[in-house]
Amino acid sequence: MSNIRDASIEPLLCNYAWQDLLQAAHGFGYSLCTFPNETETPAYPHGRFRALLAVGAVETILIERVSAGQLHDLKSRLAGAWWFGVVAYDVKNAFERLHSHNEDFLSLPDLCLFRPQWVFERRGDKVYCLSGDPEAFWSQSARQHSLPAGDMPPAKVGRIYSTVSRQDYGRTVEAIREEIRNGEIYEMNYCIEFRAEDARLHAPFKLFETLNQRSPMPFAAFARLGDYYVLSASPERYMKRQGSRLISQPIKGTAPRGNTPQEDEQARCRLLQSEKERAENMMIVDLVRNDLARVGILGTVEVEELFGIYTFRRLHQMVSTIGVELPPEASFLDCLTATFPMGSMTGAPKIRAMELIEQYETQKRGWYSGALGYMTPQGDFDWNVLIRTIFYNARLQRLSFQVGSAITYDASPAQEWAECLLKARAMHEVLQAYV
């Protein structure tokens, strides 16, 4: 039976529990599941991720250091099929004369995509098979789980440490502010890394479930890509195509929730009225408008919502939505080339900001501030921004997560440090509780 179902064929309604499918998927070397967390508020413009589960790999694309030529050669290969995976931040080097020479703690490839054997989707309380033979899935799953596990040392995470001290962070913020004063940039997203060495995660999905319960987000995902694991509680969409419409939804502006309804509303209002946060958001909106114009039909770029405030379980976020109409021939890789990396994780002007990111950050970003998502056989796609995400290299037994904030001339080192710790809190706490 073909692994790719014809788009005109109705999906198969499966008599399987979604949670059983998730558990069975762990025995495969490649799997990726997106979690929209639909029961959470608020409703999200253009929706959340679809609840998809991709399992098994008919075909993989794994490129350590990708070039523009390699991406161009992939266009026809990616057409007409389901693809899932990750695009690293460092793919920027294929689009511009940039480099990534900082320390590479996790040794992750630039591009990791797979064409799955099976694709399942949860719609409400029903589960559908969109690709592959579901009975073959259960048969192969049983064989995978029957393999002997062997003796394993105890699971552990170990000491989690930051690669940058608070004092060095403050000095770097001041240096970036000086670059802004000298007219080099208007804004730069500055990130730091938290690491754990000799980490052994025997049940990464259980750790993800804990993170997702603690911090449920509209673009959450769990992926096993060979030796590499992604545990993402991302609140941010990078880009989504539906038909001829392409939209991007940058987040710039974060505030903690209040302890009481009154405090919470005050925090929300302060975020909405903050001149600093609005200025940061506006700069990225202008950048995204320019990026979308490079791939869209002339004159169709539209800011659908500016400075929208969305409240999640532990924080408020300022989100703007920008859209454009695409010409029929525009592919996923055309959209990627025009818009990647996303402006919310770089700064403005974009290229100079990326040069200074390489200068002032001490770590290679790798998959952090890259994108995770999927492409459909019909050419639609949806990709998140890989923030609030734990990455794990099982072969090296190394674990990492990064956080950052937008630095403008008005930035306070103490406030930016506090914002980084706020963003890191959920990941840090679930890891500390892991045994």
Side-chain angles (χ1 to χ4, degrees):
M1 181 175 178
S2 170
N3 286 305
I4 302 298
R5 294 176 58 80
D6 188 283
S8 63
I9 298 176
E10 286 295 315
L12 295 175
L13 179 61
C14 301
N15 296 317
Y16 309 130
W18 185 246
Q19 197 65 26
D20 291 342
L21 288 171
L22 294 179
Q23 296 300 327
H26 303 332
F28 294 83
Y30 280 78
S31 65
L32 188 154
C33 189
T34 49
F35 291 79
N37 293 303
E38 305 102 317
T39 58
E40 292 292 312
T41 55
Y44 212 81
H46 293 275
R48 297 164 176 247
F49 263 162
R50 293 168 65 179
L52 295 172
L53 171 63
V55 188
V58 175
E59 182 181 0
T60 61
I61 298 172
L62 196 152
I63 304 176
E64 292 295 328
R65 300 295 170 257
V66 73
S67 68
Q70 288 172 311
L71 289 174
H72 182 270
D73 292 343
L74 289 176
K75 280 190 178 182
S76 60
R77 191 173 169 186
L78 296 179
W82 286 99
W83 286 91
F84 290 73
V86 171
V87 179
Y89 169 80
D90 305 287
V91 168
K92 66 183 174 57
N93 303 333
F95 304 140
E96 304 290 345
R97 298 181 66 179
L98 299 167
H99 62 270
S100 301
H101 295 323
N102 288 333
E103 184 183 1
D104 187 3
F105 180 68
L106 288 182
S107 299
L108 301 172
D110 279 355
L111 192 66
C112 187
L113 304 174
F114 72 102
R115 181 162 65 88
Q117 292 177 269
W118 299 277
V119 179
F120 299 94
E121 181 173 19
R122 178 174 53 78
R123 302 175 185 174
D125 59 355
K126 293 182 172 60
V127 176
Y128 295 86
C129 182
L130 309 183
S131 175
D133 179 357
E135 298 306 322
F137 168 78
W138 284 115
S139 175
Q140 190 164 334
S141 171
R143 291 197 299 272
Q144 295 285 347
H145 285 278
S146 67
L147 296 175
D151 294 330
M152 292 188 294
K156 72 171 186 175
V157 170
R159 184 176 71 92
I160 300 170
Y161 63 94
S162 171
T163 58
V164 177
S165 69
R166 181 170 183 169
Q167 292 74 23
D168 286 343
Y169 178 89
R171 284 190 284 267
T172 301
V173 170
E174 292 298 346
I176 295 168
R177 291 181 67 246
E178 186 67 12
E179 299 281 5
I180 296 170
R181 191 180 74 83
N182 292 336
E184 291 292 320
I185 50 172
Y186 304 110
E187 174 184 346
M188 188 189 108
N189 192 274
Y190 171 48
C191 301
I192 60 175
E193 184 176 29
F194 292 83
R195 297 174 175 176
E197 301 179 57
D198 192 24
R200 295 191 294 270
L201 305 185
H202 296 334
F205 182 68
K206 289 190 178 299
L207 180 62
F208 165 77
E209 286 185 309
T210 303
L211 176 65
N212 192 46
Q213 290 163 5
R214 192 187 188 287
S215 185
M217 291 295 177
F219 306 105
F222 174 83
R224 178 187 178 184
L225 304 169
D227 289 329
Y228 314 126
Y229 290 82
V230 182
L231 295 70
S232 182
S234 175
E236 184 171 356
R237 171 178 276 137
Y238 161 40
M239 63 174 180
K240 175 182 181 179
R241 178 178 187 163
Q242 189 164 9
S244 64
R245 190 71 173 170
L246 179 70
I247 61 109
S248 184
Q249 294 175 299
I251 290 177
K252 267 289 164 275
T254 302
R257 297 288 304 271
N259 294 321
T260 66
Q262 183 179 8
E263 288 180 2
D264 199 47
E265 182 59 23
Q266 289 172 348
R268 184 182 180 280
C269 290
R270 281 196 300 270
L271 176 60
L272 177 62
Q273 296 166 6
S274 168
E275 290 186 12
K276 172 183 177 294
E277 303 288 12
R278 291 166 73 96
E280 289 179 10
N281 197 288
M282 190 71 241
M283 278 188 272
I284 300 307
V285 167
D286 285 341
L287 189 155
V288 171
R289 289 174 63 210
N290 182 67
D291 284 350
L292 294 184
R294 296 171 62 193
V295 71
I297 297 172
L298 182 65
T300 63
V301 175
E302 175 191 6
V303 179
E304 298 181 10
E305 182 180 34
L306 188 64
F307 308 147
I309 304 298
Y310 292 86
T311 299
F312 300 100
R313 188 172 296 183
R314 296 187 177 274
L315 42 79
H316 303 285
Q317 302 269 208
M318 184 180 287
V319 185
S320 292
T321 299
I322 309 98
V324 71
E325 290 296 313
L326 292 173
E329 67 275 12
S331 69
F332 165 73
L333 289 176
D334 293 327
C335 297
L336 186 79
T337 301
T339 64
F340 193 83
M342 57 292 300
S344 61
M345 296 306 298
T346 54
K350 193 173 184 179
I351 294 175
R352 183 57 180 148
M354 288 189 287
E355 291 173 342
L356 292 175
I357 284 170
E358 180 69 17
Q359 176 180 331
Y360 286 109
E361 293 183 359
T362 61
Q363 76 286 352
K364 185 175 180 179
R365 288 195 180 182
W367 288 1
Y368 172 73
S369 73
L372 173 149
Y374 58 87
M375 295 166 264
T376 75
Q378 296 76 37
D380 291 341
F381 52 76
D382 204 356
W383 291 75
N384 74 6
V385 179
L386 278 172
I387 54 176
R388 325 286 165 84
T389 299
I390 298 168
F391 303 98
Y392 175 55
N393 185 325
R395 178 176 56 83
L396 297 180
Q397 295 187 342
R398 290 181 172 182
L399 179 149
S400 161
F401 61 92
Q402 299 186 44
V403 292
S405 67
I407 307 302
T408 62
Y409 186 71
D410 293 331
S412 156
Q415 290 178 358
E416 300 301 329
W417 178 258
E419 182 174 330
C420 286
L421 296 185
L422 172 65
K423 293 172 178 176
R425 184 182 301 164
M427 294 176 288
H428 202 278
E429 289 179 357
V430 299
L431 286 169
Q432 284 188 320
Y434 180 81
V435 288

